[in-house]
Amino acid sequence: MKLLVIGGGAREHALAWKLLDSSRRRLPATVFVAPGNAGIELEKDLKNVPITAVPDLIEFARKESIAFTVVGPEAPLAEGIVDAFRFAGLKIFGPTQKAAQLETSKDFAKAFMGRHGIPTADYATFSSATKAHRYVDKKGVPIVIKADGLAAGKGVVVAATLEEAHAAVDKMLGEKQSGKAAPKIVIEEFVEGEEISFIVMTDGRHVLPLASSQDHKRLKDGDEGPNTGGMGAYSPASSITPTLHGKIMREVIQRAISGMEKEGERYIGFLYAGLMITPGGGIKVLEFNCRMGDPEAEVILLRLKSNFITLIEHALSGNLDKIEAEWDRRPALAVVMAANGYPDSPRKGDAIEGLSALPATLPAERDYHVFHAGTARGGENGEEIVTAGGRVLCVAALGDNFRMAQRRAYEIAEQIHFDGCQMRRDIGYRAINHRK
Ligand code: AMP
Ligand code: GLY
């Protein structure tokens, strides 16, 4: 059996690793990852495929008789990779370009939530800077300014002062590039509360919720410093009670999936809702993503006990209601090791040491994994593993409780070294305090 994963970060490393692990319980398999990274290549039966253009990927999938493809990141979804694969008669798990607008256009997502009664913050959309400035003055601060399109995590400004808010409006609406559509922004009411991630798999009709998880978005300990793609994560998210889980499924997830079907665009794939739980227990959707989170995927997949291939096959055949997912009862925690200069200008080419000499006191191999994100072959002989992106590695571990999972993850991370490494020291602190 041959499978293909699209992407090259730690999330895709985890997807491929779990697919391969699942295949061992059935037929021997090869899992290709396009374009992959240096860590993926280190693993037996995982193979990098150095291509990214959709027509070339289709040709590859045909030539290799790929059973199905799983898409990791949002960019290929926004480009329409799912539409193209399906048109070519190839099986692929992910939403179409139109369905992916839930992530790729903030304006589409907000209007969609309005049409289907999904709770979200009040907002207005602008393409005129003058009108946007007037609106900011009328509403006051704090206020949230969001660029309409994909911005790789950099399109949101939570403004505490009017100066910041006006500057964000100018920055996002200011530079109209010739040949491109005029930019749009969404200005949104600031919502207070506790932020949580909620990720499901769906076949377009039925929903299989994944284990709950929570990431740490800020660069520095104590949730300070600039926003990043995520500096660490843990699962389960201690704040999601069964009651809250039911409410999120009813008010957010089911409405989104049935809303897409009613609008003629069945949503198939992973769906990620970024939510704020308000002090009164209400829910507000901050954003939808059309993919798994990263590093949320790493902790979720470490806890998955069911056969991942079987789950995806059920999703692809519209039978997700006929299967349940089983999770390791132990919590998982992941720590991201990021490059010097991340998130603004990550430095590349620092040699990574210690990857092959992990300590003997560690749990069985299945209880932890070092997932690679921005790594490549380089150095003097071209054979060393060097940093090649903002987030470099993601060390994930299971433990009997959060504290043990945290200790293991840091024990492993401390064996690994590269110059300028940035790593938070407090991943999971909320979950640990919560359990006390
Ligand atoms: P988004 O990409 O929409 O999730 O926004 C990035 C981050 O900005 C979120 O993870 C929140 O921490 C914050 N954020 C977004 N929208 C709001 C809002 N309406 N109120 C408060 N914080 C927000
Ligand atoms: N960790 C947040 C995200 O993947 O969007």
Side-chain angles (χ1 to χ4, degrees):
M1 182 184 220
K2 291 178 181 174
L3 304 172
L4 175 62
V5 172
I6 306 292
R11 168 183 51 210
E12 289 74 34
H13 188 176
L15 286 165
W17 166 81
K18 196 72 209 181
L19 287 169
L20 186 71
D21 181 56
S22 302
S23 77
R24 291 202 175 114
R25 296 184 239 163
R26 306 200 330 187
L27 293 167
T30 303
V31 183
F32 296 96
V33 189
N37 62 43
I40 287 167
E41 213 173 44
L42 289 177
E43 307 217 26
K44 188 173 174 316
D45 300 326
L46 294 190
K47 288 198 167 57
N48 286 341
V49 183
I51 51 180
T52 49
V54 173
D56 299 340
L57 289 166
I58 289 177
E59 198 190 312
F60 175 83
R62 278 205 177 119
K63 191 180 82 209
E64 294 288 346
S65 305
I66 297 293
F68 63 76
T69 298
V70 179
V71 188
E74 63 279 16
L77 295 167
E79 213 188 308
I81 192 171
V82 168
D83 312 63
F85 267 61
R86 281 204 204 147
F87 188 72
L90 295 164
K91 284 189 185 165
I92 184 162
F93 186 61
T96 59
Q97 187 174 41
K98 262 184 147 174
Q101 283 180 97
L102 275 183
E103 171 166 4
T104 59
S105 167
K106 299 271 186 202
D107 184 41
F108 173 87
K110 295 294 284 190
F112 174 86
M113 289 189 260
R115 290 196 290 279
H116 299 285
I118 299 171
T120 187
D122 288 338
Y123 79 107
T125 302
F126 298 93
S127 45
S128 145
T130 318
K131 287 185 182 152
H133 286 303
R134 216 177 292 143
Y135 185 80
V136 166
D137 284 330
K138 193 175 93 195
K139 291 285 173 181
V141 287
I143 198 159
V144 184
I145 324 277
K146 303 186 173 187
D148 180 56
L150 279 186
K154 289 184 186 145
V156 177
V157 173
V158 180
T161 65
L162 283 173
E163 289 70 34
E164 276 176 77
H166 289 300
V169 167
D170 282 334
K171 183 142 185 271
M172 291 182 201
L173 285 182
E175 312 111 34
K176 179 185 177 332
Q177 284 145 329
S178 60
K180 286 204 176 156
K184 271 195 282 190
I185 58 170
V186 164
I187 303 186
E188 196 175 273
E189 159 206 15
F190 174 82
V191 185
E192 224 163 323
E194 187 177 349
E195 214 176 324
I196 60 169
S197 318
F198 197 89
I199 308 175
V200 304
M201 266 177 96
T202 174
D203 61 16
R205 211 159 270 164
H206 316 107
V207 176
L208 185 82
L210 301 182
S212 63
S213 63
Q214 186 53 54
D215 73 339
H216 290 263
K217 289 204 166 62
R218 304 296 196 97
L219 182 69
K220 306 261 185 208
D221 285 14
D223 295 317
E224 310 237 343
N227 254 319
T228 71
M231 292 300 289
Y234 53 90
S235 171
S238 35
S239 52
I240 305 188
T241 60
T243 314
L244 184 57
H245 187 280
K247 194 170 151 85
I248 296 169
M249 284 293 284
R250 282 191 312 277
E251 294 181 8
V252 178
I253 305 294
Q254 303 286 4
R255 285 178 195 171
I257 301 306
S258 66
M260 289 305 284
E261 190 175 13
K262 274 187 213 133
E263 295 192 8
E265 196 62 49
R266 267 176 79 173
Y267 186 103
I268 301 170
F270 296 106
L271 180 64
Y272 170 134
L275 307 166
M276 200 68 99
I277 308 304
T278 62
I283 303 170
K284 297 240 165 142
V285 177
L286 298 182
E287 63 166 344
F288 282 117
N289 294 318
C290 53
R291 50 178 174 79
M292 287 184 98
D294 185 356
E296 291 94 322
E298 291 90 302
V299 285
I300 291 172
L301 292 169
L302 199 62
R303 290 186 62 219
L304 180 63
K305 286 179 97 171
S306 311
N307 192 301
F308 192 32
I309 295 178
T310 311
L311 293 184
I312 292 187
E313 285 170 342
H314 275 72
L316 287 171
S317 60
N319 286 309
L320 265 188
D321 56 329
K322 301 197 175 64
I323 195 161
E324 276 180 38
E326 209 195 318
W327 304 97
D328 199 314
R329 294 226 307 270
R330 292 170 298 169
L333 188 142
V335 176
V336 168
M337 303 176 75
N340 182 298
Y342 178 72
D344 291 333
S345 49
R347 187 169 73 198
K348 294 184 180 176
D350 287 308
I352 307 170
E353 277 147 29
L355 283 171
S356 51
L358 293 171
T361 53
L362 287 170
E365 195 193 339
R366 277 227 289 336
D367 289 358
Y368 76 93
H369 209 83
V370 179
F371 297 110
H372 286 231
T375 65
R377 291 278 175 180
E380 273 172 20
N381 54 11
E383 282 302 304
E384 268 176 90
I385 296 185
V386 300
T387 64
R391 289 185 290 176
V392 176
L393 298 165
C394 173
V395 181
L398 288 162
D400 288 332
N401 52 48
F402 280 109
R403 192 175 284 285
M404 281 176 73
Q406 187 194 51
R407 198 171 67 212
R408 276 177 183 167
Y410 280 109
E411 251 174 39
I412 300 160
E414 267 146 29
Q415 308 300 312
I416 304 170
H417 173 82
F418 54 90
D419 280 348
C421 172
Q422 302 190 79
M423 174 168 80
R424 277 182 60 162
R425 293 278 155 187
D426 65 344
I427 300 301
Y429 74 88
R430 279 215 184 83
I432 288 169
N433 294 340
H434 195 89
R435 296 281 149 125
K436 267 189 200 154

